[in-house]
């Protein structure tokens, strides 16, 4: 499998497993899972025929470990980042005292007014370290890294979850818990 096939297939997986399964003619269950054979058939229909072993390679080497199999590898899903209503089943967990969010300067006035809101995705995505947050912000321009007082939020009753690939998720971060604005 060429590097460009891996890249194309990964992008297709992000699209159909997070946002638009109908485009590939696949169906996600309530927890976001789809049968692996269905996904392989959908890839083949789109001119991206890969083997099961290729798919394992993509899942295991994806830069952000975006996708996960169930234990017997009959099902696959995205670990976070959905715009579709799925219940990923991550339980509430106490976050580290500080989490980080990477963004860009043009969003800061709105963030000061509203705090962090999820946009198209289900949750606000927070990073466990500043370097990761910087990379997230850099997707949109010169990155600005905000510090989130996650410990205080949690003590104040805000729920946090952590995805299988280590992204912290929460519904909303009021501006009072943000530093670096
Ligand atoms: C911003 C990628 C205006 C927020 C990344 C962000 C991550 C506001 C954008 C994951 C705002 C939402 C998530 C407010 C937040 N007013 N703008 N009140 N509150 N924003 O893509 O965190 O490649 O939905 O700062 O690496 O950038 O998809 O979230 O810039 O892990 O796997 O609104 O997505 O991973 O953008 O990125 P996104 P994000 P994947």
């Amino acid at each position: 499998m060429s590097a460009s096939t891996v890249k194309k297939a990964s992008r297709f997986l992000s699209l159909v497993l997070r946002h638009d399964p109908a485009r590939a003619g696949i169906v996600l269950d309530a927890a976001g899972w789809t049968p692996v054979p269905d996904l392989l058939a959908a890839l083949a229909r789109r001119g991206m025929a890969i083997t099961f072993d290729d798919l394992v390679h993509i899942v295991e080497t994806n830069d952000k470990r975006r996708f996960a199999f169930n234990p017997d590898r009959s099902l696959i899903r995205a670990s976070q980042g959905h715009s579709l209503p799925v219940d990923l089943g991550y339980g509430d967990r106490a976050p580290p005292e500080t989490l980080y969010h990477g963004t860009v300067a043009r969003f800061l006035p709105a963030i000061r007014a509203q705090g962090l809101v999820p946009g198209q995705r289900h949750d606000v995505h927070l990073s466990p370290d500043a370097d990761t947050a910087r990379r997230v912000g850099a997707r949109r321009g010169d990155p600005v890294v905000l510090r989130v007082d996650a410990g205080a939020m949690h003590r104040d009753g805000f729920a946090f979850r952590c995805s299988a690939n280590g992204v912290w998720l929460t519904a909303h971060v009021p501006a009072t818990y943000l530093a670096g604005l």
Side-chain angles (χ1 to χ4, degrees):
M1 193 178 33
S2 70
S4 90
T5 306
V6 171
K7 200 167 167 193
K8 270 204 304 203
S10 303
R11 294 188 70 89
F12 183 75
L13 260 53
S14 282
L15 174 68
V16 303
L17 295 177
R18 287 171 163 177
H19 310 297
D20 195 3
R23 177 186 291 232
I26 60 168
V27 177
L28 309 188
D29 73 10
W33 298 106
T34 201
V36 167
D38 294 4
L39 182 68
L40 292 175
L43 282 160
R45 284 197 297 276
R46 286 305 190 100
M48 288 176 271
I50 60 169
T51 64
F52 174 76
D53 287 346
D54 291 336
L55 185 64
V56 171
H57 174 79
I58 288 172
V59 169
E60 287 179 354
T61 61
N62 182 260
D63 56 349
K64 293 185 186 164
R65 301 201 65 99
R66 290 179 178 91
F67 317 110
F69 290 114
N70 68 336
D72 72 6
R73 300 199 293 198
S74 59
L75 302 172
I76 186 170
R77 74 176 182 183
S79 292
Q80 36 68 231
H82 300 75
S83 56
L84 285 171
V86 292
D87 178 0
L88 298 169
Y90 300 130
D92 287 358
R93 269 180 60 185
E97 275 302 310
T98 305
L99 289 168
Y100 301 86
H101 179 83
T103 189
V104 283
R106 66 180 182 277
F107 293 153
L108 293 181
I111 293 172
R112 277 185 206 108
Q114 304 164 356
L116 293 174
V117 298
Q120 297 297 99
R121 304 184 202 246
H122 284 185
D123 295 288
V124 174
H125 283 50
L126 302 173
S127 307
D129 59 86
D131 276 352
T132 305
R134 196 165 294 115
R135 283 195 294 276
V136 171
R139 285 151 57 238
R140 302 177 195 280
D142 234 359
V144 174
V145 174
L146 305 178
R147 286 185 309 284
V148 177
D149 193 349
M153 281 183 72
H154 191 247
R155 287 186 287 279
D156 291 344
F158 289 84
F160 285 80
R161 281 152 292 120
C162 186
S163 71
N165 57 338
V167 177
W168 284 89
L169 307 168
T170 195
H172 171 222
V173 179
T176 46
Y177 296 100
L178 292 170
L181 278 170

